[in-house]
Amino acid sequence: MSAAPSTVLQVALVVLFVLPGVTYQFLREFWRGPVPGERKLGERVLRAVTASVVLDALYLIAFGPHLVSLARGVGQDGWSRLAAGPRTAGLAGLALFVAIPAAAAAAVTYWQRRRLSPVRYRGTPTAWDRMFRQRGSCFVRLRLRDGVWIGGWYGTRSYATSYPHPPELYLESAWLMRPDGSFHRRIENSGGLFVRAEDTDVLEILLPSRDVPQG
């Protein structure tokens, strides 16, 4: 029985040390988008722990006496202390673990977007993602590394991968291409065309027009 209060206090301290940074890091990635510098799990965990340390230090500066009093109460009475004031404990947890980290993530994201010019900062991680994000229907032609042109129609049933996955493209219909890279005609009974960006050296998007016959 005597070990239970200590266990409750230990769990509360672990949550207080880890969860604020996890909330902060998750919302930063959600609002900003993934970036190459945080692709590895270890780097993301380190950033979350660092954010937790900073937030916990601010908590101690602003609410130190109240947090120490709450920790002592939990250490002495265990769950009974929390059960006596569940609403207060719930509000404190919501503020410390969710609301304040979310506000910090929003403030940092807003500051970064305002301070850094559009030329220096992009929320989209790669040019590939920016090219195909919210892209409407269009023709796409690609030149393979051996100089051969391929192309097709990028429509509603087509798909382009996004970071951190390798750049790949599925065109819902394939077209025969002339040696100069111009479109000739749609391949009959075409089920689509799959292309890996690493196999090409040129990719061009052509908006629909009377110069390029649609299939």
Side-chain angles (χ1 to χ4, degrees), residues 42-127:
E43 296 178 356
R44 298 166 66 187
V45 172
L46 181 60
R47 289 176 180 269
V49 172
T50 302
S52 285
V53 171
V54 174
L55 289 171
D56 289 340
L58 295 176
Y59 292 163
L60 290 176
I61 294 174
F63 314 111
H66 301 285
L67 293 177
V68 171
S69 176
L70 179 62
R72 288 177 177 175
V74 173
Q76 295 173 0
D77 302 327
W79 292 111
S80 61
R81 179 65 180 267
L82 298 178
R87 292 184 177 179
T88 302
L91 290 175
L94 185 63
L96 296 177
F97 304 145
V98 179
I100 296 178
V108 172
T109 303
Y110 176 79
W111 173 83
Q112 190 175 33
R113 290 178 177 176
R114 288 292 302 272
R115 184 175 179 82
L116 301 181
S117 66
V119 176
R120 294 169 54 196
Y121 176 78
R122 286 285 186 268
T124 308
T126 66

Side-chain angles (χ1 to χ4, degrees), residues 114-142:
R114 288 292 302 272
R115 184 175 179 82
L116 301 181
S117 66
V119 176
R120 294 169 54 196
Y121 176 78
R122 286 285 186 268
T124 308
T126 66
W128 177 273
D129 292 81
R130 186 169 182 82
M131 182 167 51
F132 286 103
R133 181 169 292 182
Q134 299 179 347
R135 168 63 58 188
S137 298
C138 60
F139 282 96
V140 178
R141 61 183 175 190
L142 310 97

Side-chain angles (χ1 to χ4, degrees), residues 180-203:
D180 62 355
S182 59
F183 288 83
H184 177 47
R185 63 177 176 84
R186 179 178 177 177
I187 300 177
E188 296 182 2
N189 301 322
S190 172
L193 178 65
F194 170 79
V195 186
R196 295 186 303 178
E198 63 180 13
D199 296 331
T200 68
D201 55 10
V202 173
L203 185 153

